[in-house]
Structures are given as C-alpha cells and as structure tokens.
Amino acid sequence: MVTIELLGQLQTVDGERDVAVELTAPVSVRQVIQRQGIQLRHLLQLIREKKVLVTINKKIASDDSLVHDGDAIRLVGHDGFGGSGLGPTHS
C-alpha cells in the first residue's frame, strides 16, 4: 500500500487529504495519480506548473519518480504567493 498525503491547500474533489493506494508493481508518481481518476486529476496540471512539491518518503521527487509498495507520497501545494488557486476544480 502507498499513501498519498495532500498538504497545504490541496485536497481531493471530495475534500479528502489522505488517499491509500494498492500497488502490485513500482509505478511513477504520475501513474499513481492518474489511476485515482477524477479524485486527483487536477493535481497533474499543478505538478506540471510547478505549483506542487512532490516527495517520496520525505525526499524530493518528481512526477517521474518510481513509487514502491510501502512508500509515502506527499504533495505540498504552493503557488508562490501563499494564496489560493490550488484547490480542485469541479468541471
């Protein structure tokens, strides 16, 4: 199991801040997020825009970094201004 912790103003579209994901093989952070569908879809764009810091087991990572069973992913939202613009959009 991999845990995803959303920090700062980040949350799922349902307002959750913690997500648990079962993995059978190592995959990238991007793939883990994509597999969660609409719940975390908005995070991919924020990562591309460098508005989210990605860590795996407290080490700085990227959306290409591999995640293994037992890892903890933390996504820390920031927009450079300490303001809004990081929450999920309901489109």
Side-chain angles (χ1 to χ4, degrees):
M1 174 141 350
V2 170
T3 59
I4 302 172
E5 185 178 0
L6 305 175
L7 302 171
Q9 295 176 345
L10 299 179
Q11 59 185 335
T12 69
V13 294
D14 291 334
E16 299 293 323
R17 292 185 153 294
D18 296 301
V19 178
V21 180
E22 290 288 336
L23 285 187
T24 56
V27 296
S28 71
V29 170
R30 182 183 320 102
Q31 290 170 311
V32 171
I33 293 171
Q34 288 172 334
R35 289 180 183 180
Q36 302 315 299
I38 195 167
Q39 285 289 64
L40 299 179
R41 178 181 63 195
H42 62 286
L43 294 177
L44 293 173
Q45 181 63 32
L46 294 173
I47 290 170
R48 280 191 290 274
E49 293 173 0
K50 308 276 190 232
K51 292 183 178 180
V52 172
L53 172 68
V54 179
T55 68
I56 300 173
N57 301 327
K58 299 183 180 181
K59 294 181 181 175
I60 295 176
S62 73
D63 61 337
D64 292 327
S65 298
L66 285 182
V67 180
H68 300 83
D69 189 45
D71 284 347
I73 301 170
R74 286 190 176 157
L75 303 175
V76 183
H78 69 90
D79 64 3
F81 302 104
S84 61
L86 299 177
T89 57
H90 301 281
S91 43

